[in-house]
Amino acid sequence: MNKVGAIICELNPFHMGHKHLLDSAKSYGITHIVGIMSANFIQRGEPAILSKEVRAEIALSNGFDIILEIPSIWAMSVAEKFALAGVSIAENLGCVDNLIFGSECGNLSILDKISEFMLSGQANDSVKLYLNKGYSFALSTELSVKDFLGEEYAKIIQNPNNILALEYLKALKKLNSSIKPVTVKRIGANHDLKYPLENICSSSYLRKCIKEGNNNWYDYVPHGCRKIISEQISESFVPVSLDSLDLAILYKLRYMSKSDFSLIPDISEGLENRILKLASSAVSLEDLISKVSTKRYTKSRIKRIIMCAFLGILKSDQTLHLPYIKLLGSNKKGMEILKLSKKLTNLPIISRYRDYKKLDNQGQLIFQKEQRIDSVYNLMSPKILSSGYSNKKKFISGRDDL
């Protein structure tokens, strides 16, 4: 084996920008590519439009060699925890040489300088001062960077991929990792751009097209994605969305108490009071999110809180250490990675439901919670699936008929 690279991703869904990142990784001499991918719920507090098994199949059919799962407990968390979970998986594999990630900046030295500052005591003190003035965390961080590093550096953290890039660099430093970071300049459409730019469009645009039954998505995903997504649509497995459980989620929120909300991640500053009050009058989930969100409390943050409350994800869950590595699928090159990793890692690597019995108590608790989360996800597709549907899927290895 020559050189192993890891990419932390959601692939929701896979598009030309992801293909560019893969191609760029190979141009750096990466011979084996690990995908460390969000499970069935993603960072913005939503179900992925395609299941983790389908996204793994697409990934393995389009250049990835092995796909590992970031459990929803960490996949659906703030950027810092999401990044730390993904980097922890890469670190615990024991054989990853490089972490590859996109950024609008494309300049590793600039990103590294900002990440060093963000880990400093100066940054912590400055951010707290701005938070106390009522600014959001993102704006407080931006203003702190501006104060100490200058406006040009502050502009860097206004872009979502730069923010994640900084969190990856911070995570590598926190773990004292020997993995070397590589950043690739993002091309094409911005994160939430509502229209295509050249031959690349955002994941948000693709999801919107798929949800509306608009075939405009077809020309903006690699050829190897089209058949699989089309099959999923024709079989009524897609689009997965919150719509079918809208009232169930409102019911759960109205049933919760203030003390229940105090256990949910990212709840602070009396935000639970605001959610509880507005949940009693909101007539839909969209209505509630719109009413609760402000400049300080973004829609993504509110959706994450609401979904964590609904799914039973607690603050205490997110403070736990990664208890296992979950394999979603692999090709032959991926099995080479797996064979090497088993000699180097201290974590159990699991791929089947029955493997959970090998885990310690903490690992079993996390695994079983993820199983329950998956069973809720199966209620959100147009065709309702049984709670254990994903456990019946064959081992994923990619397809050669695309």
Side-chain angles (χ1 to χ4, degrees):
M1 192 183 304
N2 296 320
K3 205 171 184 183
V4 178
I7 295 174
I8 300 169
C9 52
E10 291 184 328
L11 307 182
N12 185 42
F14 193 107
H15 56 62
M16 296 296 190
H18 298 124
K19 186 176 186 306
H20 170 69
L21 189 60
L22 282 166
D23 291 342
S24 298
K26 291 172 183 175
S27 74
Y28 281 98
I30 303 297
T31 58
H32 295 64
I33 300 180
V34 180
I36 301 172
M37 187 184 76
S38 297
N40 278 329
F41 286 85
I42 60 168
Q43 209 217 345
R44 63 175 59 212
E46 298 174 353
I49 196 167
L50 299 157
S51 73
K52 59 188 179 184
E53 292 84 12
V54 173
R55 284 179 289 130
E57 184 176 43
I58 289 172
L60 292 169
S61 303
N62 285 276
F64 283 94
D65 296 310
I66 189 169
I67 300 295
L68 307 173
E69 175 185 298
I70 305 175
S72 295
I73 287 168
W74 292 288
M76 197 165 52
S77 60
V78 296
E80 183 178 24
K81 292 178 181 177
F82 170 82
L84 185 59
V87 173
S88 295
I89 293 171
E91 178 68 15
N92 278 284
L93 272 180
C95 61
V96 173
D97 298 296
N98 294 99
L99 181 70
I100 304 103
F101 49 86
S103 65
E104 291 87 356
C105 170
N107 187 315
L108 189 60
S109 62
I110 290 175
L111 292 169
D112 198 52
K113 184 174 181 178
I114 299 173
S115 72
E116 287 281 4
F117 167 72
M118 290 170 72
L119 287 169
S120 70
Q122 279 184 323
N124 289 334
D125 293 343
S126 179
V127 168
K128 285 178 184 176
L129 285 173
Y130 279 114
L131 285 172
N132 290 336
K133 292 178 180 179
Y135 294 104
S136 69
F137 181 80
L139 184 54
S140 296
T141 304
E142 181 185 332
L143 291 171
S144 298
V145 170
K146 182 180 178 181
D147 289 344
F148 287 90
L149 299 181
E151 188 169 352
E152 288 305 308
Y153 284 91
K155 287 179 180 178
I156 296 293
I157 61 173
Q158 294 175 354
N159 295 302
N161 289 93
N162 286 342
I163 292 170
L164 266 178
L166 291 168
E167 294 301 341
Y168 295 144
L169 292 172
K170 285 169 58 182
L172 288 170
K173 290 177 173 67
K174 286 178 182 177
L175 296 172
N176 195 26
S177 176
S178 62
I179 297 172
K180 303 299 181 187
V182 174
T183 191
V184 175
K185 188 170 178 61
R186 184 182 172 91
I187 62 171
N190 290 333
H191 185 67
D192 281 322
L193 197 66
K194 294 179 170 52
Y195 55 87
L197 189 63
E198 297 177 354
N199 71 327
I200 295 180
C201 65
S202 67
S203 294
S204 299
Y205 175 80
L206 291 173
R207 290 193 297 272
K208 183 175 183 291
C209 289
I210 293 170
K211 286 177 180 178
E212 293 175 352
N214 180 341
N215 288 330
N216 284 354
W217 64 268
Y218 196 84
D219 292 328
Y220 298 101
V221 300
H223 180 76
C225 297
R226 297 169 188 170
K227 184 173 183 180
I228 296 176
I229 296 176
S230 296
E231 287 173 354
Q232 290 290 303
I233 293 171
S234 66
E235 293 172 16
S236 297
F237 292 133
V238 174
V240 178
S241 75
L242 294 173
D243 295 347
S244 58
L245 295 186
D246 192 281
L247 294 180
I249 295 169
L250 274 183
Y251 159 76
K252 176 68 181 287
L253 297 178
R254 290 186 181 188
Y255 191 80
M256 292 176 68
S257 66
K258 184 178 177 179
S259 60
D260 292 331
F261 263 105
S262 69
L263 304 176
I264 303 303
D266 215 15
I267 283 284
S268 61
E269 303 153 347
L271 185 53
E272 67 273 23
N273 297 322
R274 183 175 175 82
I275 295 174
L276 282 168
K277 179 182 177 181
L278 293 171
S280 65
S281 60
V283 296
S284 69
L285 189 57
E286 184 178 352
D287 181 38
L288 175 62
I289 293 167
S290 178
K291 286 178 176 177
V292 175
S293 61
T294 63
K295 286 184 178 180
R296 180 162 188 167
Y297 305 125
T298 64
K299 286 189 176 182
S300 290
R301 178 180 177 181
I302 300 305
K303 282 195 285 185
R304 278 197 301 270
I305 290 170
I306 287 172
M307 288 311 300
C308 283
F310 181 62
L311 296 170
I313 296 173
L314 308 177
K315 287 179 184 177
S316 56
D317 293 330
Q318 292 185 349
T319 62
L320 297 173
H321 293 294
L322 185 76
Y324 57 79
I325 296 173
K326 173 71 181 297
L327 172 66
L328 288 176
S330 172
N331 59 23
K332 288 182 180 179
K333 287 172 70 176
M335 296 308 290
E336 293 173 7
I337 297 171
L338 198 61
K339 184 178 179 180
L340 179 58
S341 180
K342 284 181 176 179
K343 298 176 183 177
L344 300 171
T345 185
N346 293 320
L347 289 182
I349 300 175
I350 61 175
S351 60
R352 296 164 295 184
Y353 178 77
R354 63 176 179 267
D355 290 341
Y356 92 95
K357 295 178 181 178
K358 303 174 186 176
L359 304 177
D360 61 19
N361 289 340
Q362 179 185 311
Q364 290 191 21
L365 287 172
I366 295 295
F367 185 87
Q368 289 170 340
K369 179 164 281 194
E370 194 66 29
Q371 290 288 304
R372 292 195 294 273
I373 290 170
D374 286 345
S375 73
V376 174
Y377 179 86
N378 289 343
L379 293 172
M380 296 183 178
S381 70
K383 180 186 288 185
I384 303 299
L385 303 173
S386 64
S387 60
Y389 179 79
S390 60
N391 297 328
K392 300 171 186 175
K393 301 280 282 185
K394 293 180 180 179
F395 184 78
I396 302 163
S397 58
R399 286 168 57 170
D400 54 15
D401 62 334
L402 303 175

